[in-house]
């Protein structure tokens, strides 16, 4: 009965979220009585310290000694635990006399249940530091474990984003966390985001606060040489959408309300001149190195460049944010049926990078009118000649460029190829509606009908 009541309350909140009146619009405004809400007037850039270089993982033990840590939790997943990157970490910790315990049960595309398992593990230890070695799932799990370790009396939903959770700000000091990514995609090593599938509603949500950022990211391109083909493709498309979405997100001066206290300014602030620098860098890198890194896995220059691009995209989205591709991707991944991609084991899963890219052509046709020049610039950075293109064609131009990359890298032909049909669209829309922080960052407002149309247009894409 309690669970049923919880679902009812959540669905009522979601219905409010879908309203397009001024009280609940994508600009983030809400009902007020005696005051006028102003839009924001400032942005800020917060970033993890990044260290990049071939073999830099060997320095992690010295870093932990410099931080004064004595007993460290090393988090990874069942695949990475037996690979060279993990051995490099353990060798460095042993060589520098750092005690550690390994948690290797991180679930790829984590859930609230898998988060809670990791939290239980760390609460049984006496850790003064954390190391995350793996992909975004590992880093996100480690961030959450660090948070709830440092606030052991918190309820799990206290810090989870609204409307699913309470969205409380993080005020407790966290332990130092060093992130060592082994894939080139999520950018989680530089962000304050921790994403998981909330099983109760079959959609992703997460925890968002700058305090979750790792204090140091060791970007070691050697780790990318063992990344399988499909992992390289899907993680690369995550970079692709990170760059495009942060570049085209609502400008920071159009997001509101302005915070009453600067400490309350959200992690996702909207596009700004500095995040645009990172987005442009990533789009140029994708043009030059994405296909090379997939088709020539021993190409150290290409794989190194994609690894750096992933981190730079993380810096961009960690301050500007992402929008509709990610908002739609969360229920697409959360409602997976029987899709089992190669290189991801035997269980049904829609990898995050695939889920975000599958609606990208439709999304950028939809958002282009908000800023045709930026959409055309993005297409040009990805290799398209836009000199003769008109502003009114910006959405189609960018969508066609995206489709060229998707076709070149063998992305499935839309949601139908992932197991969805038109009958699934209402449930996918319902799963997208709670993604407040993402829908607010979309540069144009969306109704439920708009979301349905975007998903319908994405059933087949070629």
């Amino acid at each position: 009965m309690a669970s049923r009541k919880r679902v009812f309350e959540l669905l009522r909140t979601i219905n409010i979220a879908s309203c397009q009146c001024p009280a609940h619009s994508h600009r983030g405004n809400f009902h007020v009585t005696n005051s006028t809400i102003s839009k924001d007037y400032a942005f800020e850039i917060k970033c993890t310290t990044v260290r990049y270089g071939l073999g830099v993982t060997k320095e992690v033990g010295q870093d932990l000694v410099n931080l004064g840590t004595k007993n460290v939790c090393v988090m990874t997943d069942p695949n990475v635990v037996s690979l060279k990157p993990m051995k490099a970490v353990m060798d460095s910790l042993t060589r520098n006399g750092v005690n550690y315990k390994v948690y290797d049960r991180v679930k790829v595309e984590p859930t609230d249940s898998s988060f809670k398992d990791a939290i239980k593990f760390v609460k049984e230890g006496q850790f003064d530091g954390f190391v995350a070695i793996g992909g975004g799932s590992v880093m996100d799990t480690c961030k959450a474990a660090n948070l709830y370790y440092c606030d052991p009396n918190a309820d799990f939903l206290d810090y989870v984003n609204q409307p699913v959770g309470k969205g409380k700000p993080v005020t407790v000091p966290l332990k130092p966390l060093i992130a060592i990514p082994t894939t080139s995609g999520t950018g989680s090593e530089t962000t304050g985001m921790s994403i998981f599938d909330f099983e109760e509603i079959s959609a992703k949500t997460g925890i968002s606060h700058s305090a979750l950022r790792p204090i140091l990211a060791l970007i070691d391109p050697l780790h990318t040489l063992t990344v399988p083909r499909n992992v390289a493709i899907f993680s690369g498309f995550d970079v692709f959408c990170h760059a495009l979405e942060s570049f085209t997100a609502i400008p920071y001066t159009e997001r509101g309300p302005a915070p009453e206290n600067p400490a309350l300014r959200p992690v996702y602030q909207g596009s700004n001149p500095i995040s645009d620098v990172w987005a442009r860098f990533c789009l140029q890198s994708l043009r030059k190195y994405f296909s090379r890194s997939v088709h020539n896995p021993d190409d150290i220059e290409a794989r190194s460049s994609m690894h750096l691009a992933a981190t730079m995209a993380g810096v961009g989205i960690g301050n500007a944010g992402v929008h509709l591709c990610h908002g739609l991707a969360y229920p697409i991944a959360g409602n997976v049926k029987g899709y089992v991609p190669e290189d991801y084991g035997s269980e049904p899963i829609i990898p995050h990078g695939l889920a975000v890219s599958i609606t990208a052509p439709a999304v950028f046709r939809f958002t282009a009118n908000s800023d045709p020049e930026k959409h055309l610039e993005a297409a040009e950075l990805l290799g398209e000649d836009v000199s003769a293109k008109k502003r009114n064609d910006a959405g189609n131009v960018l969508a066609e460029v995206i489709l060229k990359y998707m076709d070149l890298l063998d992305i499935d032909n839309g949601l139908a190829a992932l197991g969805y049909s038109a009958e699934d669209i209402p449930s996918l829309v319902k799963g997208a509606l709670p993604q407040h922080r993402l829908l607010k960052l979309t540069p144009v407002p969306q109704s439920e009908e708009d979301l349905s149309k975007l998903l319908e247009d994405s059933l087949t894409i070629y």
Side-chain angles (χ1 to χ4, degrees), residues 11 72 140 161 199 245 268 423 448 459:
L11 290 175
V72 173
D140 287 3
N161 295 326
E199 295 161 299
E245 290 175 70
Y268 281 6
E423 294 178 354
E448 289 188 46
L459 285 171

Side-chain angles (χ1 to χ4, degrees), residues 76-92:
T76 191
D77 65 41
N79 296 317
V80 175
V81 70
S82 60
L83 299 179
K84 290 181 180 179
M86 184 64 179
K87 183 178 185 302
V89 169
M90 292 189 294
D91 286 349
S92 181

Side-chain angles (χ1 to χ4, degrees), residues 89-384:
V89 169
M90 292 189 294
D91 286 349
S92 181
L93 300 189
T94 301
R95 187 168 59 252
N96 288 279
V98 178
N99 294 320
Y100 65 89
K101 290 184 178 178
V102 175
Y103 178 84
D104 62 2
R105 300 196 299 270
V106 170
K107 177 179 171 63
V108 177
E109 305 295 341
T111 65
D112 51 311
S113 296
S114 71
F115 267 20
K116 290 172 184 176
D117 185 72
I119 293 166
K120 181 176 182 293
F121 176 86
V122 300
K123 284 184 176 180
E124 294 172 351
Q126 295 293 323
F127 299 115
D128 55 7
F130 291 84
V131 174
I133 171 75
S137 298
V138 172
M139 291 181 278
D140 287 3
T141 301
C142 197
K143 292 174 188 177
N146 188 8
L147 172 60
Y148 291 99
Y149 174 82
C150 294
D151 191 0
N153 296 320
D155 180 77
F156 181 73
L157 289 177
D158 281 352
Y159 292 111
V160 174
N161 295 326
Q162 295 180 332
V164 176
K166 297 178 181 178
K168 288 175 55 177
V170 178
T171 57
V172 296
L174 303 191
K175 302 299 181 183
L177 190 164
I178 297 176
I180 307 174
T182 57
T183 61
S184 302
T186 70
S188 183
E189 64 270 16
T190 64
T191 76
M193 305 304 304
S194 176
I195 306 299
F196 64 93
D197 283 315
F198 190 51
E199 295 161 299
E200 190 172 309
I201 60 172
S202 296
K204 287 183 183 288
T205 183
I207 305 167
S208 171
H209 196 276
S210 60
L212 270 63
R213 281 188 173 93
I215 65 166
L216 174 64
L218 298 179
I219 314 303
D220 189 341
L222 290 178
H223 301 332
T224 68
L225 296 178
T226 58
V227 173
R229 174 185 170 83
N230 274 341
V231 176
I233 291 171
F234 297 147
S235 58
F237 271 108
D238 198 14
V239 178
F240 200 99
C241 287
H242 285 166
L244 286 175
E245 290 175 70
S246 64
F247 193 54
T248 58
I250 184 174
Y252 74 95
T253 51
E254 291 296 315
R255 186 196 55 76
E260 296 179 1
N261 184 313
L264 300 177
R265 184 164 280 113
V267 173
Y268 281 6
Q269 302 166 80
S271 61
N272 59 75
I274 296 179
S275 66
D276 283 354
V277 171
W278 304 130
R280 290 186 177 100
F281 171 85
C282 292
L283 293 172
Q284 290 170 328
S285 296
L286 287 160
R287 173 184 178 178
K288 188 172 182 180
Y289 298 112
F290 190 7
S291 179
R292 274 176 56 185
S293 71
V294 171
H295 293 114
N296 302 286
D298 295 329
D299 186 337
I300 187 64
E301 180 188 12
R303 292 233 161 171
S304 296
S305 298
M306 285 297 295
H307 209 39
L308 183 59
T311 296
M312 294 301 96
V315 174
I317 67 164
N319 294 281
V322 288
H323 55 78
L324 203 46
C325 293
H326 276 70
L328 294 172
Y330 289 167
I332 290 170
N335 288 275
V336 61
K337 296 181 178 182
Y339 183 80
V340 181
E342 189 177 349
D343 299 329
Y344 281 84
S346 59
E347 296 296 319
I349 184 176
I350 298 177
H352 177 64
L354 175 58
V356 295
S357 64
I358 208 74
T359 63
V363 164
F364 290 105
R365 288 191 192 100
F366 176 71
T367 61
N369 286 340
S370 67
D371 193 336
E373 286 80 7
K374 258 196 168 181
H375 285 68
L376 286 173
E377 182 184 355
E380 184 175 31
L381 290 167
L382 288 167
E384 182 71 10

Side-chain angles (χ1 to χ4, degrees), residues 29-42:
N29 295 338
F30 46 86
H31 285 300
V32 293
T33 53
N34 298 317
S35 63
T36 300
I37 295 177
S38 65
K39 293 175 180 176
D40 212 338
Y41 54 88

